[in-house]
Amino acid sequence: MFCYQCGRRLSKHDFCTSCRADVGLYKKVMYVSEMYYNEGLEKACVRDLTGAIVSLRHSLKFNKNNIMARNLLGLVYFEMGETVTALREWVTSKNLSPEKNIADEYIDKVQSNSARLDSINQTIKKYNRALALCSQDSRDLAVIQLKKVLSLNPRYVSAHQLLALLYMEREEWERAERELRKCLEIDRGNVQTIRYLKEVEQMLAPDEGIKPSSRHRKDDSVRYQSENEVIIQPLNVREPKRGGISTLLNIGIGLVVGLAAMYFLVVPAAESRARNEEQQTILKISNESDVKTARIQELEGQIETLKGDIESLYGEIEGYVGVDGTLQTTEILLQVAAAYVETGDDQTAAAGLADIAGRVNIEEMTEGFRRLYQSVNGVVMPKLAQSYFQEGSRLFNASSYSEAVGPLEQAVAYDEANEEALYMLAQSYRILGENEKAIAAYDKVIALFPDSWRADNSKSYRDRLAGAN
Amino acid sequence: MINFEEELKKFHPSLEVEDAVDAIYSQDLTDMADILVKKIMGTEEGNIQKGVKE
């Protein structure tokens, strides 16, 4: 105990040895607080929780800093299901004495489990709702709510009491008694519970007057009223002893009844549960199967697409590798070029180039192929054209027009810009009497070389032939 | 005979978690020791003032 003025520890004297303040009365107040705490503790130990609350509250009225009294008060409230009230006391205790306070542990235990705290809060809310329903005359609903509350928190004394009161209102005395007895198991000194129980016992044993304990005395019978019926229950009546055969018979009947109950109640339930589990399994497998089927279909679609791609690629490869394929044509071109380099034979090379031009479209080939083809063609063709022109020109000058036509046609075919060869060809056709071919050749001379003297001559010959036709 | 309506009035709503903070703050913590100390201090101050006047 410390001095209220200087804070020093007090001695046995009625004054403070440090500041000389008069602490006689103050010490008495502190002692009274301790006395009430001890009383509260004793009551709590014998489960007189209501009495303990009264004593501990008195203790705190004398000394609010009596931490042990406050913590015990919290515990008592917690035991009676008033968790939030208990928390209030512990939090206050923690604020008054932050160091080495067991209230800290109590608060942690309650608050560490958030699900449990939420459940407690729900219980309290349900209880408050039930209380409101009672005031609104919805007592059936209130009974349902209170049953839920007690299923969640069986130590909730107020809920037991309220439920008992509702049962009493409905004259369900046995149920009311059951609830009140549960109350007494938690809190033996609750005057309200005892008063209700006395009323209930009077109603259960109306003939016994005001002696509630008479119901338990060793009498011949107990009478009590349940709703509109008076029930007489004999006491101290023992079943007459029977022989061993009847006992065995009873055991046998009991076993048969038990097995029948098992067969009709437990087995169908187990079968139903097993069926449900099987259905769940089948459903699960079915779902997995659906997923796999969908996956298989998707993969089959991918396989079809890939097959199409493979066939397309095979076609392309065939195009490159086949008899008339690109690779084959490239090989021919290489052979033509090699043969020309080795032999210098223009005609063979020209025939090879013509063969290649017949096989493939040169413009669609690779760049290397096109360049090689055009290089060989650019070397071979002018020389060949010149060769044919010289042959045709010689024959034309020798007046062998029919023989000259062939070489001149080749010369023009290989070199369209050879004006002289084209003109000689036109003259040869005219002399040989092939007027249509001559006119066509003259038209080419006129079209390709319009400013030359051969074009002027071609015009006059063409007009003459056209007039003759 | 117990009167249901009268008994019902004796039941009060329990404190909910949401109300806990208000309940803690609104708690009257004045105790007998506080009143006594205040009284003693007041008496001593009165005596001092009387002594000064005299």
Side-chain angles (χ1 to χ4, degrees), chain A residues 392-430:
Chain A
S393 177
R394 185 183 62 77
L395 290 167
F396 183 83
N397 291 330
S399 302
S400 300
Y401 300 112
S402 57
E403 286 86 2
V405 166
L408 288 171
E409 280 178 347
Q410 291 293 326
V412 170
Y414 290 124
D415 185 9
E416 282 189 345
N418 192 335
E419 181 188 350
E420 196 177 355
L422 187 58
Y423 185 72
M424 282 182 182
L425 182 61
Q427 291 289 63
S428 299
Y429 282 143
R430 181 180 59 79

Side-chain angles (χ1 to χ4, degrees), chain A residues 4 25-26 30 61-64 70 82 84 89 92 121 124-125 128 139 156 169 195-196 199, chain B residues 1-2 4-5 7 10-18 27 29 31-34 36-37 40:
Chain A
Y4 59 85
L25 207 52
Y26 179 77
M30 294 293 118
K61 272 291 167 198
F62 280 92
N63 178 16
K64 68 183 173 190
R70 198 172 285 280
E82 300 281 354
V84 180
E89 296 304 329
T92 309
N121 198 28
I124 295 166
K125 280 178 191 291
N128 290 343
R139 288 164 194 168
Y156 205 159
E169 169 70 4
R195 201 157 49 83
Y196 288 172
E199 176 83 12
Chain B
M1 183 71 183
I2 283 174
F4 179 77
E5 301 298 337
E7 291 300 322
K10 293 176 186 172
F11 287 87
H12 301 289
S14 287
L15 267 181
E16 295 179 15
V17 172
E18 292 82 358
Q27 204 173 7
L29 287 174
D31 60 359
M32 196 66 85
D34 288 338
L36 181 68
V37 170
I40 293 167

Side-chain angles (χ1 to χ4, degrees), chain A residues 125-408:
Chain A
K125 280 178 191 291
K126 279 190 171 75
Y127 168 76
N128 290 343
R129 206 173 302 133
L131 193 57
L133 287 168
C134 287
S135 305
Q136 295 161 9
D137 282 341
S138 302
R139 288 164 194 168
D140 292 338
L141 290 174
V143 168
I144 293 166
Q145 284 282 348
L146 287 168
K147 281 181 179 173
K148 282 184 191 169
V149 167
L150 290 169
S151 69
L152 292 167
N153 186 2
R155 311 196 76 78
Y156 205 159
V157 172
S158 300
H160 279 298
Q161 285 177 330
L162 187 55
L163 186 58
L165 186 64
L166 286 164
Y167 283 143
M168 286 164 75
E169 169 70 4
R170 288 155 61 161
E171 295 186 349
E172 295 178 9
W173 306 109
E174 292 88 353
R175 287 183 174 180
E177 187 191 20
R178 207 179 307 138
E179 293 303 323
L180 292 168
R181 298 244 175 250
K182 285 177 187 169
C183 277
L184 281 182
E185 281 175 16
I186 302 162
D187 179 13
R188 287 180 195 154
N190 193 309
V191 178
Q192 198 174 351
T193 307
I194 294 166
R195 201 157 49 83
Y196 288 172
L197 191 60
K198 187 179 175 187
E199 176 83 12
V200 168
E201 285 181 339
Q202 277 181 0
M203 296 312 292
L204 286 171
D207 294 343
E208 300 300 327
I210 56 168
K211 292 179 184 173
S213 61
S214 63
R215 185 168 167 266
H216 299 292
R217 73 184 177 184
K218 298 196 176 206
D219 202 353
D220 289 336
S221 64
V222 167
R223 296 178 184 183
Y224 58 92
Q225 190 167 1
S226 177
E227 295 182 356
N228 293 327
E229 294 174 358
V230 175
I231 296 167
I232 301 168
Q233 184 181 344
L235 291 175
N236 301 324
V237 178
R238 292 187 179 177
E239 290 283 323
K241 288 187 178 178
R242 290 173 186 156
I245 295 169
S246 62
T247 308
L248 287 173
L249 191 65
N250 285 337
I251 291 169
I253 291 168
L255 281 173
V256 170
V257 170
L259 287 171
M262 174 83 103
Y263 182 77
F264 288 111
L265 297 173
V266 179
V267 173
E271 281 178 356
S272 172
R273 200 180 313 119
R275 249 196 317 276
N276 283 339
E277 284 174 4
E278 282 169 6
Q279 281 176 351
Q280 291 292 328
T281 310
I282 289 166
L283 192 65
K284 190 180 169 189
I285 291 167
S286 173
N287 287 337
E288 286 175 1
S289 169
D290 287 348
V291 170
K292 283 179 181 170
T293 306
R295 179 71 182 146
I296 288 165
Q297 285 176 348
E298 186 188 340
L299 291 172
E300 282 177 351
Q302 285 182 5
I303 288 167
E304 288 300 319
T305 310
L306 291 172
K307 275 183 181 173
D309 291 346
I310 289 166
E311 283 175 8
S312 169
L313 289 170
Y314 271 128
E316 283 185 26
I317 290 166
E318 191 63 29
Y320 284 115
V321 176
V323 179
D324 296 330
T326 306
L327 289 176
Q328 187 70 21
T329 311
T330 306
E331 177 64 23
I332 292 169
L333 177 62
L334 289 171
Q335 285 179 3
V336 167
Y340 180 71
V341 170
E342 287 166 8
T343 61
D345 186 351
D346 297 328
Q347 291 203 353
T348 307
L353 292 173
D355 179 41
I356 289 165
R359 284 170 183 265
V360 293
N361 185 355
I362 304 300
E363 295 305 318
E364 290 178 358
M365 300 305 284
T366 61
E367 190 187 349
F369 182 94
R370 284 204 310 273
R371 282 174 62 190
L372 180 61
Y373 179 86
Q374 283 160 3
S375 299
V376 176
N377 199 42
V379 174
V380 172
M381 290 307 165
K383 287 173 73 177
L384 197 60
Q386 190 60 33
S387 168
Y388 279 121
F389 173 67
Q390 285 173 354
E391 175 67 13
S393 177
R394 185 183 62 77
L395 290 167
F396 183 83
N397 291 330
S399 302
S400 300
Y401 300 112
S402 57
E403 286 86 2
V405 166
L408 288 171

